[in-house]
Amino acid sequence: MKWSFPEFEYKEKSNTWFLSVIIVAAVVGLLALWQTNFLFLVFTAVAVLMIIIWSQKKPKMINFELSEDGLWIEKVFYSYNKFSAFAIKPGSMLFEQKERFRPHLTVSFDRKDMDSIRKHLLDFLPEMEYHESLIDVFRGFFGF
């Protein structure tokens, strides 16, 4: 199975979103000035600049392939024996890695392919329940 999918879901930001970020940054900046914490003021300015730049970044298309041997993401291969289980929900799947300090690997796909992907993966890995992380919730809330 081969498919291409955007690197991340892009959400257009409104002028209100940008204004909100700038207002929050100004309040935090004023608090830093009031406490004469210039390092925090610089950190806040750099962080806001990065948030604004990243918010305008458009996603690139990434190629995926599920084969009999494992998962290809672009030119990087992940053998099924590196994973202990997978979870799937409409639009994305999560692979739990066997190595203790490795994060989960999340892969997006077209929702219409969910049943065929699940069927393929069940031949190689057990399925676990999908739990959305707190970071995923925050990313969705803030539009990233």
Side-chain angles (χ1 to χ4, degrees), residues 4-144:
S4 293
F5 213 78
E7 181 179 19
F8 57 88
E9 181 183 348
Y10 179 75
K11 295 180 182 175
E12 193 71 39
K13 311 298 187 287
S14 67
N15 289 338
T16 306
W17 186 91
F18 287 105
L19 186 61
S20 300
V21 168
I22 291 169
I23 289 171
V24 169
V27 169
V28 172
L30 288 173
L31 181 65
L33 278 175
W34 179 64
Q35 294 188 348
T36 62
N37 189 343
F38 299 111
L39 182 62
F40 188 60
L41 179 64
V42 170
F43 170 78
T44 302
V46 170
V48 168
L49 185 63
M50 290 172 54
I51 288 171
I52 290 173
I53 290 170
W54 287 340
S55 71
Q56 297 176 359
K57 181 182 175 199
K58 303 280 196 257
K60 69 175 187 169
M61 294 301 285
I62 298 179
N63 298 313
F64 299 95
E65 180 180 353
L66 280 176
S67 68
E68 299 294 319
D69 301 319
L71 170 69
W72 285 92
I73 302 176
E74 290 293 321
K75 296 178 181 172
V76 179
F77 177 71
Y78 298 90
S79 174
Y80 290 127
N81 62 17
K82 289 188 175 204
F83 304 123
S84 57
F86 78 95
I88 196 164
K89 74 171 191 172
S92 68
M93 58 186 143
L94 181 135
F95 292 93
E96 184 176 86
Q97 299 194 47
K98 287 182 179 178
E99 293 181 31
R100 186 177 188 121
F101 296 107
R102 286 278 177 133
H104 297 298
L105 180 65
T106 304
V107 175
S108 298
F109 59 88
D110 193 342
R111 292 173 182 253
K112 67 180 174 53
D113 297 328
M114 188 169 100
D115 292 332
S116 58
I117 288 173
R118 174 182 276 127
K119 184 179 177 189
H120 175 84
L121 289 174
L122 283 172
D123 291 339
F124 305 100
L125 294 168
E127 187 172 7
M128 64 182 189
E129 190 174 329
Y130 191 97
H131 296 286
E132 194 167 44
S133 71
L134 188 58
I135 291 174
D136 292 334
V137 172
F138 281 129
R139 252 192 333 197
F141 179 74
F142 289 110
F144 279 97

